[in-house]
């Protein structure tokens, strides 16, 4: 069931989203060669809790951490570990925070030191695909318009679209209806209405879009080992467009 959020609920979602945004900003300077993803997760969890929020992902269907840490060919749901980041890696941190029962959800891919041209390419164009999808968000448009725009952008840039995972509604549950796939037909799917809150999150690959699931039953990685990018914002549909609830994250 797709719910329409009241202005009061949107305000709570805005606070949760802002904490997610601030956690990204807080962690960004720590994303450097030599740090472990476990340490980054610890810092992020502490920061979220210091803001009075709870961790949306920790314990969610058994997920063990507050932040998903996915490196290079890992697409999403990487477990924080003792793995040390190396110069040239890319790291996706997917962060969730909950304020008074309402969630914010935003993933972003970061460069570790000097990265390859391929890594720059997947980062640049997955981020752009997110904004191309966002341009479709306004009352009267349909979910399929977002999906189609992202898929077309990925095709134009020779990137693979991971189809096993998609965006979603956000509210009192971190994953609500509707699903927001990163591929599909324009003009299809649920109509967007003012007060709907959705997370849009293209997950694109440099090579084949085929993925496999790790034995931990969570981590999704490209089968051919190619790099993956993942950029996500939680947004509310407004009278004539959208408002990003998880802030404007700048790379670099
Ligand atoms: Mg999400
Ligand atoms: Mg996320």
């Amino acid at each position: 069931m797709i719910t329409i959020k009241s202005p009061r609920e949107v305000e709570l979602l805005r606070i949760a989203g802002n904490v997610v945004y601030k956690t990204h900003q807080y962690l960004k300077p720590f994303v450097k060669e030599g740090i472990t993803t476990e340490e980054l997760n610890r810092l992020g969890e502490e920061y979220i809790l210091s803001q009075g929020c709870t961790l949306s992902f920790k314990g969610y269907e058994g997920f063990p951490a507050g932040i998903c840490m996915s490196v290079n060919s890992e697409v999403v749901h990487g477990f924080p570990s003792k793995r040390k980041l190396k110069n040239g890696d890319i790291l996706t941190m997917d962060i969730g925070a909950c304020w008074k029962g309402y969630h914010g959800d935003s993933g972003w891919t970061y460069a570790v030191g000097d990265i390859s041209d391929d890594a720059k390419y997947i980062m640049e164009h997955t981020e752009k695909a997110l904004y191309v999808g966002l341009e479709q968000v306004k009352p009267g448009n349909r979910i399929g318009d977002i999906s189609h725009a992202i898929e077309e952008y990925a095709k134009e840039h020779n990137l693979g679209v991971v189809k096993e995972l998609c965006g979603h509604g956000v509210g009192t549950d971190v994953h609500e209806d509707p699903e927001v796939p990163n591929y599909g037909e324009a003009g299809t799917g649920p109509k967007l209405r003012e007060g709907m809150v959705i997370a849009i999150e293209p997950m694109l690959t440099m090579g084949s879009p085929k993925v496999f699931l790790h034995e931990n039953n969570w981590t999704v990685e490209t089968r051919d080992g190619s790099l993956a990018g993942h950029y996500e914002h939680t947004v509310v549909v407004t009278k004539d467009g959208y408002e990003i609830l998880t802030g404007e994250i700048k790379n670099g």
Side-chain angles (χ1 to χ4, degrees), residues 150-214:
I150 292 171
E151 182 181 26
E152 284 302 302
Y153 185 87
K155 271 192 200 159
E156 281 164 21
H157 293 84
N158 266 317
L159 295 171
V161 176
V162 176
K163 296 193 168 160
E164 286 80 354
L165 298 145
C166 57
H168 49 89
V170 182
T172 52
D173 218 316
V174 71
H175 293 131
E176 297 185 350
D177 290 337
E179 288 195 336
V180 186
N182 294 308
Y183 64 97
E185 294 295 317
T188 65
K191 219 177 230 184
L192 299 173
R193 290 171 54 198
E194 187 179 354
M196 276 173 66
V197 175
I198 52 175
I200 300 177
E201 49 182 313
M203 289 158 263
L204 306 183
T205 64
M206 280 300 284
S208 158
K210 293 210 167 66
V211 292
F212 73 97
L213 188 63
H214 284 209

Side-chain angles (χ1 to χ4, degrees), residues 112-134:
V112 183
D114 299 317
I115 59 171
S116 66
D117 287 346
D118 275 2
K120 284 179 192 157
Y121 188 88
I122 189 77
M123 286 178 63
E124 176 185 346
H125 293 296
T126 312
E127 182 182 358
K128 284 188 177 153
L130 167 61
Y131 285 94
V132 162
L134 284 170

